[in-house]
Amino acid sequence: MLLLLLMLLLAQLLQVGCGSFKEQGDLGADFGCCHSQSSHVHLMPRMGPLLQLCIANLDPALLQRRDTVPACNNACWALGELAVKLNAQMQQHVNVLEATGKVATLLNSKQVTASKSLIENCAITLGRICISNAETIAPHCQAFMFAW
């Protein structure tokens, strides 16, 4: 199932990508549940590629077209869900400074104002990554924190 999810996330069809990121976020939300130990076993070996796909879709250029905003929004939400579940383990799979920088860049872009939901998800995801990886991110805050 996760291999199929990875393939769908790579799909060029926007509706497929949007739905796939939503599913990835749902998997992340269930990741730490006591009922979902099987999702932990299946998700962990593929966590790096899943997180990288989320990060790759946090691109302000995707906001120039209205039909790409939902996929970007869902990728941001999924990244935040996974960050909260992984905590400091996120660093084993991706560069958290890169992830934080991409979310902050997206949040600070002029195009983000078109989507209230995306602004909210960016702010929440930024907080989740920073809380989960405070020691790594704190020394670099000046690189991505701007006055809003």
Side-chain angles (χ1 to χ4, degrees):
M1 162 135 165
L2 284 173
L3 185 56
L4 177 61
L5 179 60
L6 278 170
M7 290 170 54
L8 291 172
L9 287 167
L10 290 169
Q12 296 297 317
L13 297 172
L14 297 172
Q15 296 84 1
V16 173
C18 180
S20 299
F21 283 116
K22 184 197 174 305
E23 286 303 316
Q24 182 177 340
D26 287 343
L27 281 171
D30 292 340
F31 187 59
C33 254
C34 58
H35 305 306
S36 64
Q37 280 298 27
S38 64
S39 71
H40 184 278
V41 168
H42 296 293
L43 202 53
M44 282 306 285
R46 292 167 181 83
M47 191 59 69
L50 291 171
L51 290 168
Q52 286 295 347
L53 285 168
C54 286
I55 293 167
N57 278 275
L58 301 178
D59 184 355
L62 293 174
L63 303 180
Q64 294 176 4
R65 289 182 34 206
R66 215 179 154 100
D67 57 345
T68 57
V69 173
C72 184
N73 187 32
N74 286 353
C76 186
W77 174 73
L79 182 63
E81 288 292 333
L82 292 169
V84 121
K85 302 303 183 201
L86 289 170
N87 288 313
Q89 288 181 349
M90 187 175 178
Q91 296 177 48
Q92 297 171 7
H93 304 285
V94 292
N95 181 333
V96 293
L97 293 174
E98 176 194 3
T100 305
K102 293 277 277 195
V103 175
T105 299
L106 192 62
L107 187 57
N108 286 305
S109 74
K110 292 183 186 337
Q111 292 91 355
V112 80
T113 57
S115 173
K116 183 181 177 190
S117 177
L118 182 56
I119 293 170
E120 292 169 354
N121 279 330
C122 283
I124 291 166
T125 297
L126 185 61
R128 287 177 167 183
I129 295 171
C130 290
I131 286 172
S132 300
N133 300 277
E135 288 89 23
T136 303
I137 294 172
H140 304 279
C141 283
Q142 73 278 5
F144 60 86
M145 298 306 254
F146 307 97
W148 284 292

